[in-house]
C-alpha cells in the first residue's frame, strides 16, 4: 500500500528486509543504567542471568547476542513446530515508511525557545486541569474502577477513531514533532474524528530537551485532555519531590539534576512538581477489549500469579512495578523473577502464562505493545512471541549515550492501534543532516549529547 506519506509493508518476522539492505531480527544492544542497584550476586546483571529450566526436549542451542549485560544462555530456543501448530494466527506486522513530511515545518515546531516562552501559561493551565474536583478527565480515565485505579480495563473502545502510540522519548523533541506531523497527514490517518494519543512513558532523562518535552505534552493534554493518555514509565515513576529538592531512583537522572539547578526559577520548579503529580496517578497498564495490553515495561511476573489469581488485586504495588519495570527477552522461554532490584526480564512462555491468568480474571490478553527497551531499529516484534505477539516501539532519533553500538542517527517509530492485531508501525525517516544539526554528535570521549544551543534550521 503506497501513500504520499510512506510505504506500507507487511512482514511476518519483523523487522523485515528493507530494500537494498537485509536486517536480522533485532537484539537489544543498549546496556540499561536505569535499574536500582543491589550489591553482590543480587545485582541486576547477576540476577538477570538466571533462567528457569525449560520443560521438554530442547532443539540445539542457539548463540544469541548478550542482552542488557547478560551472558548468552545456551538453553534458550524458539517455539517448536508443534507449539506453532497451536498458535492463533495474527496478521503480519505492518510497517509504514514515512518520508514525505514537511521537515522544515517539523524543525520549526521543534523549537525549545518557543516552547519555553509559553511555560507560564502552560504550567498554569496544567495545574488548573489537575486541580479539578472531578479529575482531569484524560483519555481512558472514565474506565477507572475508582480514582486511584492504575490498571484500567477499557470496556468500550471505538476503533474507528485513530489511536496513535508513542514510546520512549527521553527528551527527543524532534522525534515528537515528527510524530505529531505524521498524525496530521490525511493519507496516514484513516478513520473518523480527531486523533487520540497514548504515550508509553519515559518522557525525560538521557539529556535531550526533557523540560520542553514535558511542556509540549502538557500542551497536548490541556488542549484536549480526553484525547491524551500518558502511561508512567520507569523514569517518570522514579522522579520525586520532598518539598525541598527533586530526586530520582534511576540512572541517568539528569532531569532531576536540571530541576534542582533551577529551583529559583518558579515556573521550571512548578513544571517539575506537575510531572510528579501527573505520574503519581498515571495509568500503569491498559487492557483493551480486543486483547491488547499496553504498558511501559511488561506485566506481573509468574511469582505474583498465585496471589493475583486469588485476590484479583491488579493495583498491588508489586504488580504495578512489573508493568513499569520488566524487560522482554527476545528468545528466552522463561526467566526467574528478580525481586532484589528492578532488573527482571520475562520470556515468551512467561507472557503466555500471564495471558492465561488474565483471561481467567476477566481481562483477556492476547498481544501487547510496550516501550522501555531501546532496540536499535526502534521497533521489534520477536518471532519467539508468535503465539502472543509483542511489539516494542520507541521514538528516539539519536543513539543515547548509554547505547553502546550502532549508528548515531536512528529512525524513530510510533504505532497506530489496529483492532485484533499488533499496532501498525510507522518509521519516521527524519533527514540525517537534520538529526545531526539538532543533536550534534558528542566527541568520542564525551558522554554528554545535550545540545549546547538552539537547534538551527
Amino acid at each position: 500500500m503506497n501513500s504520499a506519506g510512506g510505504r506500507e509493508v507487511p512482514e511476518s518476522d519483523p523487522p523485515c528486509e528493507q530494500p537494498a539492505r537485509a536486517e536480522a531480527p533485532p537484539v537489544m544492544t543498549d546496556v540499561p543504567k536505569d535499574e536500582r542497584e543491589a550489591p553482590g550476586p543480587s545485582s541486576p546483571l547477576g540476577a538477570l542471568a538466571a533462567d528457569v529450566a525449560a520443560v521438554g526436549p530442547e532443539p540445539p542451542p542457539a548463540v544469541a547476542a548478550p542482552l542488557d549485560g547478560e551472558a548468552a544462555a545456551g538453553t534458550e530456543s524458539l517455539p517448536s513446530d508443534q507449539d506453532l501448530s497451536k498458535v492463533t494466527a495474527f496478521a503480519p506486522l505492518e510497517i509504514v515508511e514515512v518520508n514525505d513530511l514537511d521537515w522544515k515545518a517539523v524543525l520549526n515546531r521543534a523549537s525549545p525557545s518557543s516552547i519555553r516562552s509559553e511555560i507560564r501559561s502552560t504550567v498554569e493551565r496544567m495545574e488548573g486541569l489537575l486541580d479539578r474536583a472531578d479529575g482531569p478527565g484524560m483519555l481512558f480515565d472514565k474506565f477507572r474502577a475508582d480514582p486511584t485505579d492504575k490498571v484500567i480495563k477499557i470496556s468500550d473502545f471505538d476503533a474507528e477513531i485513530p489511536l496513535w502510540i508513542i514510546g520512549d522519548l527521553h527528551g527527543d523533541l524532534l522525534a515528537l514533532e515528527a510524530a505529531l506531523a505524521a498524525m496530521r497527514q490525511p493519507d496516514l490517518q484513516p478513520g473518523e474524528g480527531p486523533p487520540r494519543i497514548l504515550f508509553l512513558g519515559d518522557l525525560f532523562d538521557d539529556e535531550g530537551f526533557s523540560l520542553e518535552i514535558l511542556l509540549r505534552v502538557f500542551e497536548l493534554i490541556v488542549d484536549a485532555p480526553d484525547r491524551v493518555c500518558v502511561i508512567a514509565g520507569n523514569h517518570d515513576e522514579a522522579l520525586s519531590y520532598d518539598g525541598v529538592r527533586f530526586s530520582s531512583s534511576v540512572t541517568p537522572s539528569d532531569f532531576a539534576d536540571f530541576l534542582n539547578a533551577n529551583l529559583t526559577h518558579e515556573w521550571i520548579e512548578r513544571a517539575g512538581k506537575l510531572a510528579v503529580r501527573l505520574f503519581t496517578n498515571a495509568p500503569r497498564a491498559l487492557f483493551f477489549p480486543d486483547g491488547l495490553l499496553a504498558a511501559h515495561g511488561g506485566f506481573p511476573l509468574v511469582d505474583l500469579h498465585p496471589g493475583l489469581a486469588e485476590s484479583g488485586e491488579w493495583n498491588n504495588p508489586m504488580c504495578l512495578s512489573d508493568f513499569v519495570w520488566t524487560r522482554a527477552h527476545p528468545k528466552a522461554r522463561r526467566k526467574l523473577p528478580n525481586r532484589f532490584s528492578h532488573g527482571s526480564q520475562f520470556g515468551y512462555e512467561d507472557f503466555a502464562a500471564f495471558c492465561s491468568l488474565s483471561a481467567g480474571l476477566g481481562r483477556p490478553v492476547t498481544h501487547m505493545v510496550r516501550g522501555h527497551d531501546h532496540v536499535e531499529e526502534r521497533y521489534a516484534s520477536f518471532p519467539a512471541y508468535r503465539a502472543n505477539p509483542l511489539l516494542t516501539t520507541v521514538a528516539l532519533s539519536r543513539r543515547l549515550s548509554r547505547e553502546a553500538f550502532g549508528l548515531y542517527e536512528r529512525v524513530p517509530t510510533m504505532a497506530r492501534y489496529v483492532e485484533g492485531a499488533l499496532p501498525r508501525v510507522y518509521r519516521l525517516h527524519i533527514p540525517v543532516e537534520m538529526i545531526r544539526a539538532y543533536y550534534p554528535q558528542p566527541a568520542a570521549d564525551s558522554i554528554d549529547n545535550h545540545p549546547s544551543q538552539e537547534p538551527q534550521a
Side-chain angles (χ1 to χ4, degrees), residues 10 62 83 124 141 147 150 195 200 204 225-226 255 297 349 374 439 442 448 451:
D83 295 332
E124 287 181 334
D141 277 358
K150 299 177 184 177
L200 296 179
F204 40 75
D226 61 336
F255 186 51
E349 288 188 358
H374 303 157
Y439 297 111
D448 180 14

Side-chain angles (χ1 to χ4, degrees), residues 164 166-167 169 176 197-201 203 217 220 228-231:
W164 295 93
I166 299 178
L169 284 162
L176 174 59
I197 305 175
L198 169 60
F199 289 97
L200 296 179
L203 300 185
V217 172
L220 295 171
V228 180
C229 177
V230 184
I231 289 178

Side-chain angles (χ1 to χ4, degrees), residues 22-345:
E23 296 288 353
V27 296
M28 286 167 281
T29 55
D30 64 311
V31 180
K33 300 179 182 177
D34 56 5
E35 317 294 0
R36 297 176 184 172
E37 295 188 3
S42 299
S43 66
L45 296 183
L48 285 178
D51 258 328
V52 179
V55 177
E58 283 284 337
V63 178
L67 174 70
D68 291 350
E70 178 185 31
T75 59
E76 297 163 1
S77 66
L78 299 180
S80 67
D81 292 339
Q82 183 178 2
D83 295 332
L84 293 178
S85 67
K86 304 174 183 178
V87 171
T88 301
F90 275 83
L93 180 68
E94 293 180 301
I95 312 296
V96 178
E97 309 290 349
V98 180
N99 295 284
D100 301 330
L101 296 179
D102 185 341
W103 296 114
K104 183 177 180 180
V106 168
L107 186 60
N108 290 337
R109 292 294 300 269
S111 170
S113 60
S114 297
I115 293 172
R116 281 207 194 194
S117 69
E118 300 294 327
I119 185 171
R120 176 171 181 169
S121 171
T122 302
V123 168
E124 287 181 334
R125 293 171 67 201
M126 189 67 187
E127 287 175 337
L129 185 70
L130 294 187
D131 287 341
R132 282 171 34 172
D134 56 348
M138 293 177 62
L139 180 62
F140 305 128
D141 277 358
K142 66 181 181 179
F143 298 109
R144 292 181 188 252
D146 59 67
T148 63
D149 181 21
K150 299 177 184 177
V151 185
I152 302 175
K153 178 182 179 181
I154 301 169
S155 58
D156 180 28
F157 183 74
D158 186 353
E160 295 300 316
I161 302 175
L163 175 67
W164 295 93
I165 303 167
I166 299 178
D168 300 30
L169 284 162
H170 288 290
D172 200 325
L173 187 60
L174 183 62
L176 174 59
E177 291 300 342
L180 296 175
M183 293 178 198
R184 294 189 288 267
Q185 289 284 100
D187 56 328
L188 295 180
Q189 183 176 252
E192 301 176 357
R196 300 166 294 184
I197 305 175
L198 169 60
F199 289 97
L200 296 179
D202 276 9
L203 300 185
F204 40 75
D205 286 334
D206 284 287
E207 297 97 25
F209 295 97
S210 293
L211 174 65
E212 290 78 8
I213 279 284
L214 189 65
L215 294 173
R216 189 70 176 95
V217 172
F218 287 170
E219 289 178 2
L220 295 171
I221 293 172
V222 296
D223 285 344
D226 61 336
R227 297 205 300 267
V228 180
C229 177
V230 184
I231 289 178
N234 57 315
H235 283 257
D236 312 314
E237 182 180 87
L239 183 68
S240 61
Y241 181 71
D242 63 5
V244 179
R245 293 180 63 81
F246 294 90
S247 61
S248 177
S249 59
V250 298
T251 300
S253 56
D254 46 274
F255 186 51
D257 296 337
F258 168 82
L259 293 173
N260 287 329
N262 289 275
L263 290 174
T264 57
H265 191 299
E266 177 185 359
W267 300 106
I268 292 179
E269 181 189 28
R270 286 168 68 169
K273 293 178 182 179
L274 275 175
V276 174
R277 287 184 63 188
L278 175 65
F279 288 111
T280 294
N281 199 42
R284 269 45 174 184
L286 303 173
F287 289 75
F288 286 83
D290 71 333
L292 177 67
L293 171 66
H296 176 71
F299 46 83
L301 299 179
V302 292
D303 60 326
L304 303 182
H305 291 189
L308 187 54
E310 181 178 351
S311 69
E313 181 47 68
W314 292 98
N315 287 275
N316 176 293
M318 294 183 70
C319 292
L320 296 180
S321 179
D322 283 357
F323 282 121
V324 174
W325 290 85
T326 54
R327 297 184 181 276
H329 194 288
K331 296 176 68 175
R333 287 180 182 270
R334 294 179 293 276
K335 302 289 284 186
L336 279 174
N338 169 21
R339 295 304 176 191
F340 297 96
S341 79
H342 285 296
S344 277
Q345 291 177 303

Side-chain angles (χ1 to χ4, degrees), residues 33 207 399 401 408 440-449:
K33 300 179 182 177
E207 297 97 25
R399 186 185 69 235
S401 59
Y408 182 69
Q441 187 169 357
D445 59 349
S446 171
I447 62 171
D448 180 14
N449 66 355

